Amino acid sequence: MSISLIVGGGGFIGYSLVEVLLQRGSRVVVVDNWSRGSKDNLTPIIRRYADQITFETGDVSNFQNNLALLDAINKRGHISEVWHLAANSDISAGVEDCSIDLKDTFMTTYALLQAMKVLKIPILNFASSSAVYGDMGDLLISESSGPLLPISNYGAMKLASEALISAAAEAYLERANIFRFPNVVGTPATHGVIYDFIDRLKINQTVLRVKGDGTQKKSYLHVSDLVKAMIALSDRSLSAGQKLSLTNIGPIDDGVTVRWIAERVVERVNPNAKIIFGLGNRGWVGDVPQFRYSTDLIRSYGWRPSLGSHEAVILAINQIANQFDF
Ligand SMILES: NC(=O)c1ccc[n+]([C@@H]2O[C@H](COP(=O)([O-])OP(=O)(O)OC[C@H]3O[C@@H](n4cnc5c(N)ncnc54)[C@H](O)[C@@H]3O)[C@@H](O)[C@H]2O)c1
């Protein structure tokens, strides 16, 4: 029986992807080192799909570990595809210490590809990011926009991963799909702007301190829309016989500001809380103040998100506030 391997499947997006793949009847193996994810995240779906899902603990940034682990899994079934979601999700920590993104964002890709080559695993689906584009100002960014000059180590290591995958698709993979995500929101949240705001209000309910002046403006996609898009793109490249695909996934709007998000969070959690903004239009070094995403390509395939940035953020605020028992 064929196996879908979800690497980094214990994290935020992994939860929703695993759930949809299980609903489609796939047999799923989740591999994670649990550094930022948790098996508890997956508890609700483990109960429902116990006979379709198993877990492995492993750090996938090491080729020899991957070879041993993936070979053992392959002997129990046949790994037909890898969904690679493992990465560092704390971008500012990666700016401080570039070894974090070197290991978790880049070496995970390198070491997985090396093991896939030896074991002849044919398909890789890769979670990339709008961070590869760097700061393109007001430009409407499409897949062919460039030059690509990331402004964080995270973005740099995602871009380097994409380059490696492109070369692997030429040399030995049957198929590779690269998805460039915008900011993704929903639950079970472990990081991100909404999570951070609500977490801060949990500690101090009267004041919300915002990094930057709140004018940062970005696109937000709900995780439920994101995973449907990933699966639709993967199915499409299979039926179209496409060896390498690269697609922006995002909402059909110009996004929302951090100020707007802070105000909605406060409204939901404690309307009496005071919002104090910082200075400058960047939350931290490596933060892109704004980006506008062209989703013409994915829309030309007939895909539409069910929620725009505003609706996705409102839904996620409610979900994450509930997660925090607000
Ligand atoms: N959440 C977003 O807004 C967003 C935006 C753009 C791209 N992405 C990408 O999507 C993917 C999933 O993001 P997420 O938000 O679910 O992040 P997450 O941190 O919740 O999940 C990543 C998972 O990878 C695991 N992991 C990290 N390093 C590992 C290693 N060396 N070996 C094994 N497991 C490891 C972590 O424990 C975690 O469970 C990531 O590649 C991320 O870069 C996310």
Side-chain angles (χ1 to χ4, degrees):
M1 190 178 185
S2 72
I3 291 171
S4 298
L5 193 76
I6 320 295
V7 180
F12 158 52
I13 294 171
Y15 174 88
S16 296
L17 178 65
V18 166
E19 185 174 39
V20 175
L21 289 172
L22 290 169
Q23 283 164 355
R24 279 164 57 107
S26 302
R27 190 169 153 211
V28 166
V29 177
V30 171
V31 178
D32 206 296
N33 67 355
W34 315 111
S35 56
R36 295 176 202 92
S38 151
K39 225 182 257 185
D40 295 344
N41 281 350
L42 293 155
T43 305
I45 48 181
I46 297 171
R47 284 200 204 101
R48 273 180 280 143
Y49 298 97
D51 52 342
Q52 275 171 257
I53 184 168
T54 50
F55 297 90
E56 299 289 344
T57 299
D59 186 325
V60 297
S61 63
N62 180 287
F63 163 60
Q64 291 300 341
N65 287 353
N66 289 350
L67 195 56
L69 182 62
L70 271 58
D71 192 32
I73 297 167
N74 236 350
K75 285 182 176 134
R76 302 201 303 260
H78 158 67
I79 303 173
S80 57
E81 57 175 7
V82 174
W83 295 80
H84 173 21
L85 306 182
N88 164 42
S89 47
D90 186 345
I91 300 178
S92 50
V95 171
E96 288 297 310
D97 175 0
C98 65
S99 70
I100 297 174
D101 279 299
L102 178 65
K103 175 180 168 294
D104 287 340
T105 309
F106 180 71
M107 287 304 292
T108 51
T109 311
Y110 168 77
L112 272 170
L113 281 170
Q114 291 304 100
M116 289 175 72
K117 180 181 181 185
V118 174
L119 298 170
K120 299 188 170 34
I121 298 170
I123 301 176
L124 179 66
N125 294 297
F126 178 62
S128 191
S129 163
S130 59
V132 299
Y133 292 112
D135 184 357
M136 293 211 172
D138 202 24
L139 193 80
L140 187 64
I141 304 169
S142 77
E143 290 80 353
S144 55
S145 298
L148 298 184
L149 298 170
I151 60 168
S152 62
N153 291 318
Y154 168 79
M157 294 299 100
K158 283 288 187 192
L159 184 57
S161 293
E162 288 188 1
L164 212 55
I165 291 166
S166 168
E170 185 65 23
Y172 53 90
L173 291 178
E174 252 174 49
R175 204 170 310 292
N177 300 305
I178 297 171
F179 314 118
R180 289 181 178 160
F181 301 170
N183 288 287
V184 186
V185 292
T187 45
T190 53
H191 57 92
V193 62
I194 302 171
Y195 178 92
D196 285 350
F197 285 171
I198 298 180
D199 192 33
R200 275 176 231 164
L201 284 168
K202 189 84 184 171
I203 296 162
N204 179 352
Q205 288 201 23
T206 57
V207 176
L208 174 61
R209 287 185 189 279
V210 175
K211 291 179 185 164
D213 61 11
T215 59
Q216 306 98 299
K217 191 173 186 196
K218 301 171 192 185
S219 308
Y220 292 85
L221 188 68
H222 196 269
V223 68
S224 53
D225 276 328
L226 177 87
V227 298
K228 285 182 199 142
M230 292 164 73
I231 290 171
L233 287 167
S234 167
D235 287 348
R236 187 191 174 278
S237 82
L238 186 65
S239 57
Q242 215 175 350
K243 202 167 183 48
L244 179 65
S245 77
L246 166 67
T247 321
N248 286 350
I249 304 178
I252 310 167
D253 55 56
D254 285 347
V256 297
T257 64
V258 167
R259 173 180 291 272
W260 187 84
I261 296 174
E263 288 167 355
R264 300 294 82 73
V265 167
V266 161
E267 249 170 39
R268 168 64 176 79
V269 172
N270 178 14
N272 297 321
K274 188 174 175 211
I275 305 173
I276 299 178
F277 292 97
L279 298 174
N281 65 355
R282 284 166 204 260
W284 58 87
V285 177
D287 184 23
V288 177
Q290 89 171 70
F291 72 80
R292 294 172 61 228
Y293 229 19
S294 164
T295 51
D296 288 355
L297 181 61
I298 189 169
R299 281 195 282 152
S300 75
Y301 302 149
W303 181 81
R304 296 275 183 288
S306 65
L307 303 172
S309 292
H310 291 82
E311 296 100 328
V313 166
I314 294 289
L315 175 60
I317 288 172
N318 267 316
Q319 292 176 322
I320 299 171
N322 290 339
Q323 188 184 317
F324 275 84
D325 288 327
F326 272 116

